[in-house]
Amino acid sequence: MAHDALSSHSSADPFTPPADSTLWRENFLLGAATASYQIEGAVNEDGRLPSIWDTFCATPGKVLAGDSGEVACDHYHRWEADVDMLAGLGLEGYRLSIAWPRVMHLDGTPNRKGLDFYKRLLTRLKEKGITTFVTLYHWDLPQHLEDRGGWLNRETAYRFADYADLMSRELAGNVDAWATLNEPWCSAYLGYGNGHHAPGLVNARFATQAMHHLLLAHGLAVPVLSANDPASQKGIVANIGRGTPNSDSADDRRAAHLFEVQHNAWILDPLLKGTYPQALFELWPGTEPLILDGDMQTISAPLDFLGINYYFRTNVASDGAHGFKDVPLQGVERTQMGWEVYPDGLCDLLISFRREYANLPPVYITENGMASDDKVIDGRVDDTQRISFLKRHLAAVDEAIKAGVDIRGYFLWSLMDNFEWAFGYERRFGIVHVDYATQKRTIKRSAELVSRFLKERKERNLRI
Protein backbone atom coordinates (compact mmCIF):
# COMPACT_ATOMS: atom_id res chain seq x y z
CA MET A 1 0.00 0.00 0.00
CA ALA A 2 1.37 3.41 -0.92
CA HIS A 3 1.48 6.23 1.62
CA ASP A 4 1.94 9.10 -0.81
CA ALA A 5 -1.24 10.97 -0.05
CA LEU A 6 -2.69 12.36 3.14
CA SER A 7 -5.80 10.57 4.35
CA SER A 8 -9.26 12.02 4.36
CA HIS A 9 -8.96 14.35 7.35
CA SER A 10 -9.63 18.02 6.79
CA SER A 11 -6.82 20.36 5.81
CA ALA A 12 -7.16 21.93 9.26
CA ASP A 13 -5.87 18.67 10.75
CA PRO A 14 -3.55 16.97 8.26
CA PHE A 15 -1.90 14.73 10.85
CA THR A 16 -4.40 12.69 12.90
CA PRO A 17 -4.37 8.99 11.96
CA PRO A 18 -7.57 7.36 10.68
CA ALA A 19 -9.95 5.85 13.23
CA ASP A 20 -8.85 2.26 12.57
CA SER A 21 -5.14 2.98 13.12
CA THR A 22 -3.36 0.95 15.79
CA LEU A 23 -1.64 4.20 16.82
CA TRP A 24 -4.75 5.12 18.82
CA ARG A 25 -4.01 2.35 21.32
CA GLU A 26 -3.04 3.58 24.75
CA ASN A 27 0.14 1.52 25.04
CA PHE A 28 1.74 2.76 21.80
CA LEU A 29 4.46 5.13 23.02
CA LEU A 30 4.87 8.38 21.08
CA GLY A 31 7.85 10.54 21.93
CA ALA A 32 10.78 12.53 20.60
CA ALA A 33 14.53 11.99 20.55
CA THR A 34 17.78 13.96 20.86
CA ALA A 35 21.51 13.24 21.29
CA SER A 36 23.98 14.75 23.74
CA TYR A 37 26.53 16.29 21.38
CA GLN A 38 23.81 17.68 19.14
CA ILE A 39 22.03 19.70 21.84
CA GLU A 40 24.00 20.09 25.07
CA GLY A 41 26.83 22.50 24.29
CA ALA A 42 28.97 23.30 27.37
CA VAL A 43 31.79 21.20 25.95
CA ASN A 44 34.38 22.69 28.31
CA GLU A 45 32.33 22.86 31.51
CA ASP A 46 32.28 20.83 34.72
CA GLY A 47 35.15 18.56 33.77
CA ARG A 48 33.81 17.30 30.44
CA LEU A 49 36.62 15.78 28.39
CA PRO A 50 37.12 16.33 24.65
CA SER A 51 35.30 13.93 22.32
CA ILE A 52 36.12 12.76 18.81
CA TRP A 53 33.47 15.19 17.54
CA ASP A 54 35.17 18.16 19.20
CA THR A 55 38.34 17.12 17.37
CA PHE A 56 36.56 16.47 14.07
CA CYS A 57 34.74 19.82 14.17
CA ALA A 58 38.05 21.59 14.78
CA THR A 59 39.52 20.01 11.64
CA PRO A 60 39.08 22.43 8.69
CA GLY A 61 36.73 21.23 5.97
CA LYS A 62 35.09 18.44 7.98
CA VAL A 63 31.89 20.22 9.06
CA LEU A 64 29.77 22.61 7.01
CA ALA A 65 30.54 26.28 7.77
CA GLY A 66 33.06 25.20 10.41
CA ASP A 67 30.22 24.60 12.89
CA SER A 68 30.63 22.62 16.11
CA GLY A 69 28.64 21.44 19.11
CA GLU A 70 30.38 23.94 21.40
CA VAL A 71 27.08 25.71 22.16
CA ALA A 72 24.48 23.78 20.12
CA CYS A 73 21.06 24.29 21.79
CA ASP A 74 22.66 25.13 25.14
CA HIS A 75 20.55 22.34 26.63
CA TYR A 76 23.09 21.83 29.43
CA HIS A 77 21.93 25.15 30.88
CA ARG A 78 18.35 25.19 29.56
CA TRP A 79 17.34 21.61 30.30
CA GLU A 80 14.59 22.51 32.78
CA ALA A 81 12.75 24.67 30.26
CA ASP A 82 13.29 22.02 27.58
CA VAL A 83 11.74 19.32 29.79
CA ASP A 84 8.80 21.63 30.52
CA MET A 85 8.40 22.14 26.76
CA LEU A 86 8.51 18.39 26.12
CA ALA A 87 5.93 17.74 28.83
CA GLY A 88 3.80 20.65 27.68
CA LEU A 89 3.50 19.06 24.25
CA GLY A 90 2.17 15.91 25.91
CA LEU A 91 4.94 13.72 24.48
CA GLU A 92 4.95 10.42 26.34
CA GLY A 93 8.56 9.38 25.84
CA TYR A 94 11.95 11.03 25.53
CA ARG A 95 14.99 9.35 24.05
CA LEU A 96 18.24 11.06 25.06
CA SER A 97 21.88 10.10 25.10
CA ILE A 98 24.58 10.45 27.72
CA ALA A 99 27.87 12.12 26.85
CA TRP A 100 30.52 9.59 27.84
CA PRO A 101 33.19 12.37 28.06
CA ARG A 102 30.98 14.24 30.57
CA VAL A 103 30.62 11.51 33.18
CA MET A 104 34.07 9.91 33.53
CA HIS A 105 37.51 11.34 34.20
CA LEU A 106 40.63 10.30 32.29
CA ASP A 107 41.39 7.61 34.85
CA GLY A 108 37.88 6.15 34.54
CA THR A 109 36.63 7.48 37.88
CA PRO A 110 33.19 9.17 37.98
CA ASN A 111 32.84 12.85 37.15
CA ARG A 112 30.22 13.77 39.74
CA LYS A 113 29.26 17.09 38.16
CA GLY A 114 28.49 15.42 34.86
CA LEU A 115 26.61 12.58 36.53
CA ASP A 116 24.56 15.06 38.55
CA PHE A 117 23.37 16.75 35.34
CA TYR A 118 21.86 13.50 34.07
CA LYS A 119 20.44 12.62 37.48
CA ARG A 120 18.62 15.95 37.66
CA LEU A 121 17.41 15.63 34.08
CA LEU A 122 16.12 12.07 34.45
CA THR A 123 14.52 12.78 37.84
CA ARG A 124 12.59 15.69 36.34
CA LEU A 125 11.49 13.60 33.36
CA LYS A 126 10.16 10.90 35.68
CA GLU A 127 8.36 13.54 37.77
CA LYS A 128 6.64 14.64 34.57
CA GLY A 129 5.56 11.05 33.85
CA ILE A 130 7.72 10.78 30.72
CA THR A 131 9.08 7.36 29.72
CA THR A 132 12.88 7.54 29.46
CA PHE A 133 14.96 5.81 26.79
CA VAL A 134 18.67 6.40 27.43
CA THR A 135 21.34 5.74 24.80
CA LEU A 136 24.82 5.20 26.21
CA TYR A 137 26.75 5.87 23.00
CA HIS A 138 25.56 8.34 20.38
CA TRP A 139 28.95 8.77 18.70
CA ASP A 140 30.80 11.09 21.13
CA LEU A 141 33.70 8.80 22.05
CA PRO A 142 36.18 10.35 24.51
CA GLN A 143 39.15 11.55 22.46
CA HIS A 144 41.66 9.93 24.82
CA LEU A 145 40.21 6.52 23.87
CA GLU A 146 40.45 7.35 20.17
CA ASP A 147 44.07 8.31 20.77
CA ARG A 148 44.62 4.68 21.79
CA GLY A 149 42.91 3.34 18.68
CA GLY A 150 39.24 4.04 19.36
CA TRP A 151 36.91 1.35 18.07
CA LEU A 152 39.83 -0.30 16.26
CA ASN A 153 41.19 -1.20 19.70
CA ARG A 154 39.42 -4.12 21.39
CA GLU A 155 40.14 -2.50 24.73
CA THR A 156 37.56 0.20 23.96
CA ALA A 157 34.79 -2.41 24.19
CA TYR A 158 35.87 -3.20 27.77
CA ARG A 159 36.05 0.49 28.66
CA PHE A 160 32.51 0.82 27.33
CA ALA A 161 31.37 -1.98 29.64
CA ASP A 162 32.94 -0.05 32.56
CA TYR A 163 31.04 3.06 31.46
CA ALA A 164 27.78 1.08 31.20
CA ASP A 165 28.42 -0.29 34.69
CA LEU A 166 28.87 3.17 36.16
CA MET A 167 25.83 4.68 34.46
CA SER A 168 23.47 1.83 35.28
CA ARG A 169 24.53 1.86 38.94
CA GLU A 170 24.14 5.64 39.20
CA LEU A 171 20.90 6.02 37.22
CA ALA A 172 19.06 2.79 38.06
CA GLY A 173 15.37 3.41 38.65
CA ASN A 174 15.18 6.52 36.47
CA VAL A 175 15.70 4.75 33.13
CA ASP A 176 12.90 2.75 31.51
CA ALA A 177 15.01 1.47 28.62
CA TRP A 178 18.75 1.42 27.95
CA ALA A 179 20.11 1.41 24.40
CA THR A 180 23.79 0.52 24.32
CA LEU A 181 24.67 2.03 20.94
CA ASN A 182 23.06 4.35 18.44
CA GLU A 183 23.57 3.37 14.80
CA PRO A 184 26.80 1.35 14.91
CA TRP A 185 26.67 1.38 11.09
CA CYS A 186 27.37 5.12 11.16
CA SER A 187 30.08 4.82 13.81
CA ALA A 188 31.84 2.03 11.89
CA TYR A 189 31.28 2.92 8.25
CA LEU A 190 31.05 6.72 8.29
CA GLY A 191 33.68 7.01 11.02
CA TYR A 192 36.22 4.41 9.89
CA GLY A 193 35.14 3.35 6.38
CA ASN A 194 34.56 6.50 4.33
CA GLY A 195 35.66 9.24 6.75
CA HIS A 196 32.51 11.37 6.59
CA HIS A 197 32.15 11.29 10.38
CA ALA A 198 34.56 11.36 13.31
CA PRO A 199 37.26 10.16 13.59
CA GLY A 200 37.45 10.48 9.80
CA LEU A 201 39.37 7.34 8.80
CA VAL A 202 38.98 5.71 5.38
CA ASN A 203 39.51 1.95 5.18
CA ALA A 204 36.93 -0.84 4.69
CA ARG A 205 38.97 -3.19 6.89
CA PHE A 206 38.87 -0.56 9.65
CA ALA A 207 35.09 -0.36 9.27
CA THR A 208 34.50 -4.10 9.78
CA GLN A 209 36.88 -4.28 12.73
CA ALA A 210 35.35 -1.18 14.33
CA MET A 211 31.90 -2.71 13.88
CA HIS A 212 32.99 -5.90 15.59
CA HIS A 213 34.31 -4.02 18.59
CA LEU A 214 31.19 -1.83 18.75
CA LEU A 215 28.95 -4.90 18.78
CA LEU A 216 31.25 -6.59 21.30
CA ALA A 217 30.90 -3.51 23.51
CA HIS A 218 27.14 -3.85 23.25
CA GLY A 219 27.26 -7.53 24.15
CA LEU A 220 29.54 -6.91 27.13
CA ALA A 221 27.26 -4.14 28.41
CA VAL A 222 23.95 -6.02 28.28
CA PRO A 223 24.57 -8.32 31.29
CA VAL A 224 26.01 -5.39 33.25
CA LEU A 225 22.89 -3.31 32.61
CA SER A 226 20.71 -6.28 33.54
CA ALA A 227 22.55 -6.82 36.82
CA ASN A 228 22.52 -3.17 37.88
CA ASP A 229 19.07 -2.13 36.66
CA PRO A 230 16.98 -5.28 36.26
CA ALA A 231 13.64 -3.48 35.93
CA SER A 232 14.71 -1.66 32.77
CA GLN A 233 14.63 -2.85 29.17
CA LYS A 234 17.91 -3.40 27.32
CA GLY A 235 18.42 -2.99 23.60
CA ILE A 236 20.35 -1.38 20.78
CA VAL A 237 19.47 1.09 18.01
CA ALA A 238 20.21 0.31 14.35
CA ASN A 239 19.71 2.55 11.36
CA ILE A 240 18.31 0.62 8.41
CA GLY A 241 18.31 1.31 4.69
CA ARG A 242 15.94 0.24 1.94
CA GLY A 243 17.69 -0.59 -1.32
CA THR A 244 15.66 -0.98 -4.50
CA PRO A 245 17.03 -2.19 -7.86
CA ASN A 246 17.26 0.27 -10.74
CA SER A 247 16.00 -2.43 -13.12
CA ASP A 248 14.69 -5.97 -12.99
CA SER A 249 18.03 -7.38 -14.16
CA ALA A 250 19.66 -10.06 -12.01
CA ASP A 251 22.72 -7.83 -11.54
CA ASP A 252 20.67 -4.89 -10.25
CA ARG A 253 18.62 -7.12 -7.97
CA ARG A 254 21.87 -8.51 -6.59
CA ALA A 255 23.12 -4.95 -6.09
CA ALA A 256 19.99 -4.08 -4.08
CA HIS A 257 20.47 -7.20 -1.98
CA LEU A 258 24.10 -6.27 -1.27
CA PHE A 259 23.04 -2.75 -0.32
CA GLU A 260 20.70 -4.16 2.32
CA VAL A 261 23.33 -6.64 3.50
CA GLN A 262 25.73 -3.77 4.06
CA HIS A 263 23.15 -1.50 5.72
CA ASN A 264 21.04 -4.00 7.67
CA ALA A 265 22.33 -7.58 7.89
CA TRP A 266 25.84 -6.40 8.83
CA ILE A 267 24.36 -5.33 12.18
CA LEU A 268 21.25 -7.47 12.60
CA ASP A 269 22.75 -10.85 11.68
CA PRO A 270 25.40 -10.85 14.43
CA LEU A 271 22.86 -9.57 16.96
CA LEU A 272 20.06 -11.98 16.05
CA LYS A 273 21.86 -14.90 14.38
CA GLY A 274 25.31 -14.78 15.95
CA THR A 275 27.10 -14.59 12.57
CA TYR A 276 28.21 -11.99 10.07
CA PRO A 277 26.62 -12.23 6.59
CA GLN A 278 29.11 -13.79 4.19
CA ALA A 279 27.85 -11.58 1.35
CA LEU A 280 29.41 -8.63 3.19
CA PHE A 281 32.85 -10.04 2.51
CA GLU A 282 31.97 -10.65 -1.13
CA LEU A 283 31.26 -6.92 -1.27
CA TRP A 284 34.46 -6.08 0.64
CA PRO A 285 36.84 -9.02 0.06
CA GLY A 286 39.53 -9.53 2.67
CA THR A 287 37.91 -7.37 5.36
CA GLU A 288 36.88 -10.07 7.83
CA PRO A 289 37.41 -8.79 11.37
CA LEU A 290 39.47 -10.53 14.01
CA ILE A 291 36.95 -12.50 16.10
CA LEU A 292 37.97 -14.24 19.31
CA ASP A 293 36.31 -17.33 20.79
CA GLY A 294 33.05 -16.44 22.47
CA ASP A 295 32.67 -13.05 20.79
CA MET A 296 29.62 -13.95 18.72
CA GLN A 297 27.85 -15.49 21.70
CA THR A 298 28.49 -12.29 23.63
CA ILE A 299 27.22 -10.12 20.78
CA SER A 300 24.04 -12.17 20.28
CA ALA A 301 22.81 -11.91 23.88
CA PRO A 302 18.98 -11.71 23.91
CA LEU A 303 17.50 -8.22 23.55
CA ASP A 304 14.40 -6.79 25.23
CA PHE A 305 13.88 -4.45 22.28
CA LEU A 306 15.39 -3.39 18.98
CA GLY A 307 15.45 0.30 18.11
CA ILE A 308 15.03 1.07 14.42
CA ASN A 309 15.99 4.38 12.79
CA TYR A 310 14.71 4.94 9.25
CA TYR A 311 14.90 7.94 6.93
CA PHE A 312 14.99 7.12 3.19
CA ARG A 313 15.59 4.56 0.46
CA THR A 314 18.40 4.29 -2.04
CA ASN A 315 17.91 3.21 -5.65
CA VAL A 316 20.92 1.19 -6.77
CA ALA A 317 22.40 -0.57 -9.79
CA SER A 318 25.28 -2.98 -10.19
CA ASP A 319 28.65 -1.28 -10.34
CA GLY A 320 29.80 -3.92 -12.84
CA ALA A 321 32.08 -5.51 -10.27
CA HIS A 322 31.20 -6.89 -6.83
CA GLY A 323 29.04 -4.07 -5.53
CA PHE A 324 26.45 -1.39 -6.13
CA LYS A 325 26.21 2.27 -7.04
CA ASP A 326 23.52 4.83 -6.27
CA VAL A 327 21.25 5.81 -9.16
CA PRO A 328 19.14 8.72 -7.89
CA LEU A 329 15.58 8.69 -9.14
CA GLN A 330 14.22 11.78 -10.84
CA GLY A 331 10.96 13.51 -9.98
CA VAL A 332 10.60 12.11 -6.46
CA GLU A 333 9.94 14.03 -3.25
CA ARG A 334 13.10 14.81 -1.29
CA THR A 335 13.95 16.49 1.99
CA GLN A 336 16.47 19.26 2.71
CA MET A 337 19.07 16.50 3.08
CA GLY A 338 18.38 15.35 -0.48
CA TRP A 339 16.93 12.09 0.87
CA GLU A 340 13.97 10.55 -0.92
CA VAL A 341 10.71 10.43 1.05
CA TYR A 342 9.73 6.75 0.86
CA PRO A 343 7.49 5.55 3.72
CA ASP A 344 6.88 2.16 2.10
CA GLY A 345 10.55 1.34 2.69
CA LEU A 346 10.00 1.38 6.45
CA CYS A 347 7.02 -0.99 6.26
CA ASP A 348 8.77 -3.28 3.76
CA LEU A 349 11.89 -3.61 5.92
CA LEU A 350 10.00 -4.21 9.16
CA ILE A 351 7.96 -7.00 7.56
CA SER A 352 11.09 -8.52 5.99
CA PHE A 353 12.88 -8.53 9.37
CA ARG A 354 9.95 -10.39 10.93
CA ARG A 355 10.36 -13.05 8.22
CA GLU A 356 14.15 -13.19 8.41
CA TYR A 357 14.65 -13.23 12.19
CA ALA A 358 12.57 -15.71 14.18
CA ASN A 359 13.82 -14.10 17.41
CA LEU A 360 13.10 -10.49 16.38
CA PRO A 361 12.44 -8.67 19.67
CA PRO A 362 9.77 -5.99 20.15
CA VAL A 363 10.60 -2.96 18.01
CA TYR A 364 10.60 0.76 18.73
CA ILE A 365 11.03 3.23 15.90
CA THR A 366 13.68 5.23 17.73
CA GLU A 367 14.22 7.84 15.00
CA ASN A 368 12.17 8.97 12.05
CA GLY A 369 11.87 12.48 10.70
CA MET A 370 13.09 14.91 8.08
CA ALA A 371 15.07 18.09 7.59
CA SER A 372 13.51 21.18 6.07
CA ASP A 373 14.59 24.79 5.72
CA ASP A 374 12.19 26.04 8.39
CA LYS A 375 11.80 29.74 9.14
CA VAL A 376 9.84 31.61 11.77
CA ILE A 377 7.31 33.89 10.03
CA ASP A 378 5.10 36.09 12.21
CA GLY A 379 5.96 33.94 15.20
CA ARG A 380 5.00 30.64 13.54
CA VAL A 381 6.70 27.79 11.68
CA ASP A 382 4.41 26.04 9.21
CA ASP A 383 6.41 22.90 8.35
CA THR A 384 3.89 21.39 5.95
CA GLN A 385 6.22 18.83 4.39
CA ARG A 386 7.21 17.45 7.81
CA ILE A 387 3.56 17.06 8.83
CA SER A 388 2.91 15.06 5.67
CA PHE A 389 6.12 13.05 6.16
CA LEU A 390 5.26 12.08 9.72
CA LYS A 391 1.69 11.14 8.89
CA ARG A 392 2.77 8.87 6.04
CA HIS A 393 5.52 7.18 8.02
CA LEU A 394 3.21 6.58 10.96
CA ALA A 395 0.78 5.02 8.47
CA ALA A 396 3.63 2.73 7.36
CA VAL A 397 4.24 1.75 10.99
CA ASP A 398 0.53 1.04 11.42
CA GLU A 399 0.59 -1.18 8.32
CA ALA A 400 3.60 -3.13 9.65
CA ILE A 401 1.84 -3.66 12.99
CA LYS A 402 -1.24 -4.96 11.19
CA ALA A 403 1.06 -7.33 9.28
CA GLY A 404 2.22 -8.82 12.58
CA VAL A 405 5.35 -6.85 13.52
CA ASP A 406 5.49 -6.14 17.27
CA ILE A 407 6.11 -2.37 17.29
CA ARG A 408 5.71 -0.70 20.67
CA GLY A 409 6.43 2.98 19.97
CA TYR A 410 7.77 5.77 17.78
CA PHE A 411 10.18 8.62 18.52
CA LEU A 412 10.24 11.68 16.29
CA TRP A 413 13.65 12.92 15.23
CA SER A 414 14.09 15.40 16.62
CA LEU A 415 12.60 17.28 19.53
CA MET A 416 14.35 20.43 18.35
CA ASP A 417 16.63 21.71 15.63
CA ASN A 418 20.23 20.94 16.54
CA PHE A 419 23.80 20.33 15.39
CA GLU A 420 23.41 17.96 12.44
CA TRP A 421 26.89 16.44 12.53
CA ALA A 422 28.85 17.08 9.30
CA PHE A 423 26.04 19.38 8.08
CA GLY A 424 26.37 21.75 11.04
CA TYR A 425 23.34 23.94 11.74
CA GLU A 426 22.01 24.30 8.20
CA ARG A 427 19.65 21.29 8.27
CA ARG A 428 16.67 21.49 10.63
CA PHE A 429 15.11 18.20 11.84
CA GLY A 430 13.22 19.51 14.86
CA ILE A 431 9.53 19.78 15.63
CA VAL A 432 10.66 22.79 17.66
CA HIS A 433 12.57 25.60 15.92
CA VAL A 434 15.75 26.89 17.58
CA ASP A 435 17.13 30.37 16.88
CA TYR A 436 20.78 29.64 17.52
CA ALA A 437 21.66 33.30 18.06
CA THR A 438 19.11 33.80 20.86
CA GLN A 439 18.33 30.15 21.79
CA LYS A 440 14.64 30.95 21.49
CA ARG A 441 12.47 27.86 20.99
CA THR A 442 9.41 28.13 18.72
CA ILE A 443 6.90 25.29 18.55
CA LYS A 444 6.40 24.25 14.91
CA ARG A 445 3.02 23.36 13.44
CA SER A 446 4.07 19.68 13.36
CA ALA A 447 4.57 19.70 17.13
CA GLU A 448 1.19 21.35 17.64
CA LEU A 449 -0.55 18.65 15.63
CA VAL A 450 1.30 15.79 17.33
CA SER A 451 0.36 17.34 20.67
CA ARG A 452 -3.26 17.64 19.66
CA PHE A 453 -3.38 14.01 18.57
CA LEU A 454 -1.91 12.85 21.88
CA LYS A 455 -4.46 14.89 23.82
CA GLU A 456 -7.28 13.50 21.68
CA ARG A 457 -5.98 9.94 22.12
CA LYS A 458 -5.78 10.36 25.87
CA GLU A 459 -9.33 11.68 26.06
CA ARG A 460 -10.59 8.93 23.76
CA ASN A 461 -8.95 6.17 25.80
CA LEU A 462 -10.34 7.62 29.03
CA ARG A 463 -13.83 7.32 27.53
CA ILE A 464 -13.37 3.67 26.59
Side-chain angles (χ1 to χ4, degrees):
M1 183 187 298
H3 306 289
D4 293 334
L6 299 179
S7 72
S8 58
H9 281 78
S10 70
S11 59
D13 186 4
F15 176 79
T16 303
D20 66 346
S21 172
T22 60
L23 308 183
W24 285 100
R25 70 189 192 201
E26 191 173 16
N27 62 350
F28 185 85
L29 184 69
L30 192 56
T34 63
S36 52
Y37 191 75
Q38 294 183 265
I39 65 168
E40 286 179 2
V43 298
N44 298 310
E45 291 189 39
D46 292 337
R48 179 190 175 276
L49 300 173
S51 80
I52 57 174
W53 272 93
D54 297 307
T55 304
F56 196 69
C57 291
T59 306
K62 294 298 186 182
V63 176
L64 200 63
D67 290 337
S68 77
E70 185 174 357
V71 177
C73 305
D74 196 31
H75 176 71
Y76 190 75
H77 300 114
R78 300 168 187 266
W79 66 271
E80 291 175 277
D82 287 340
V83 170
D84 288 344
M85 177 178 70
L86 179 79
L89 290 170
L91 291 164
E92 300 163 329
Y94 182 46
R95 177 177 171 244
L96 64 133
S97 79
I98 290 167
W100 188 352
R102 199 180 289 287
V103 296
M104 297 181 86
H105 295 302
L106 269 171
D107 62 1
T109 57
N111 176 359
R112 288 291 159 195
K113 289 184 178 179
L115 281 166
D116 286 348
F117 167 71
Y118 293 108
K119 287 183 177 180
R120 292 192 301 269
L121 173 60
L122 287 162
T123 299
R124 179 66 60 87
L125 287 164
K126 299 312 291 181
E127 288 171 352
K128 296 285 187 180
I130 294 169
T131 299
T132 52
F133 273 59
V134 173
T135 305
L136 285 169
Y137 185 67
H138 202 127
W139 307 353
D140 43 358
L141 184 71
Q143 181 61 44
H144 69 91
L145 292 178
E146 181 59 39
D147 292 342
R148 295 201 290 272
W151 291 111
L152 298 178
N153 183 352
R154 185 181 176 92
E155 189 65 23
T156 302
Y158 296 97
R159 298 291 71 77
F160 180 80
D162 294 342
Y163 162 54
D165 180 45
L166 172 66
M167 299 314 300
S168 54
R169 282 189 284 108
E170 294 282 345
L171 302 178
N174 274 334
V175 177
D176 292 297
W178 293 96
T180 51
L181 309 175
N182 176 76
E183 299 185 350
W185 184 92
C186 292
S187 297
Y189 184 67
L190 300 183
Y192 293 85
N194 71 7
H196 290 180
H197 280 186
L201 303 181
V202 184
N203 186 308
R205 178 73 171 77
F206 287 175
T208 57
Q209 191 64 62
M211 176 66 82
H212 183 67
H213 290 154
L214 282 154
L215 294 178
L216 179 64
H218 155 80
L220 292 168
V222 168
V224 172
L225 297 170
S226 297
N228 292 341
D229 195 7
S232 63
Q233 296 183 75
K234 292 85 187 172
I236 189 172
V237 171
N239 58 305
I240 59 171
R242 180 72 169 118
T244 55
N246 190 51
S247 76
D248 197 40
S249 73
D251 285 348
D252 283 0
R253 290 200 308 273
R254 173 69 175 166
H257 169 70
L258 288 173
F259 176 92
E260 292 194 358
V261 165
Q262 197 249 39
H263 280 74
N264 307 331
W266 184 16
I267 297 90
L268 298 182
D269 276 15
L271 290 169
L272 300 175
K273 293 182 177 180
T275 60
Y276 287 104
Q278 282 308 302
L280 181 71
F281 307 115
E282 297 170 25
L283 181 65
W284 293 333
T287 64
E288 292 86 346
L290 176 63
I291 302 171
L292 302 189
D293 287 348
D295 282 2
M296 301 313 295
Q297 291 91 328
T298 298
I299 288 169
S300 57
L303 301 171
D304 295 324
F305 74 94
L306 175 64
I308 291 291
N309 296 354
Y310 173 82
Y311 288 98
F312 60 96
R313 74 143 163 197
T314 304
N315 189 66
V316 300
S318 170
D319 65 0
H322 299 291
F324 55 83
K325 60 182 179 182
D326 295 1
V327 183
L329 295 170
Q330 303 302 309
V332 297
E333 180 187 357
R334 296 188 181 276
T335 70
Q336 188 190 17
M337 295 291 287
W339 297 343
E340 183 189 354
V341 178
Y342 191 70
D344 283 353
L346 176 56
C347 181
D348 293 345
L349 287 170
L350 290 167
I351 292 171
S352 73
F353 295 157
R354 182 172 179 265
R355 287 195 304 264
E356 180 70 19
Y357 303 106
N359 58 339
L360 183 71
V363 169
Y364 288 87
I365 307 304
T366 36
E367 287 182 30
N368 180 234
M370 61 156 285
S372 56
D373 186 17
D374 300 321
K375 294 179 173 61
V376 180
I377 300 173
D378 297 328
R380 293 184 56 79
V381 181
D382 190 11
D383 52 338
T384 304
Q385 188 188 12
R386 180 174 291 104
I387 293 163
S388 169
F389 178 102
L390 295 175
K391 183 182 181 75
R392 287 176 283 164
H393 283 78
L394 281 164
V397 170
D398 176 53
E399 187 176 338
I401 293 171
K402 288 174 177 174
V405 186
D406 184 2
I407 306 171
R408 305 280 178 90
Y410 174 99
F411 291 83
L412 300 142
W413 184 268
S414 172
L415 174 62
M416 53 189 163
D417 298 335
N418 54 51
F419 175 75
E420 184 44 44
W421 306 111
F423 293 98
Y425 293 100
E426 183 185 84
R427 317 292 166 95
R428 294 181 176 271
F429 274 89
I431 58 170
V432 174
H433 183 278
V434 178
D435 181 327
Y436 297 114
T438 65
Q439 292 296 338
K440 181 180 179 181
R441 276 68 160 147
T442 301
I443 305 296
K444 299 181 188 181
R445 177 67 172 154
S446 58
E448 292 173 355
L449 292 177
V450 170
S451 180
R452 187 159 80 184
F453 163 65
L454 286 166
K455 183 178 180 183
E456 187 178 345
R457 185 174 77 171
K458 191 173 185 179
E459 292 171 349
R460 171 173 160 167
N461 286 318
L462 284 172
R463 292 194 300 269
I464 294 173

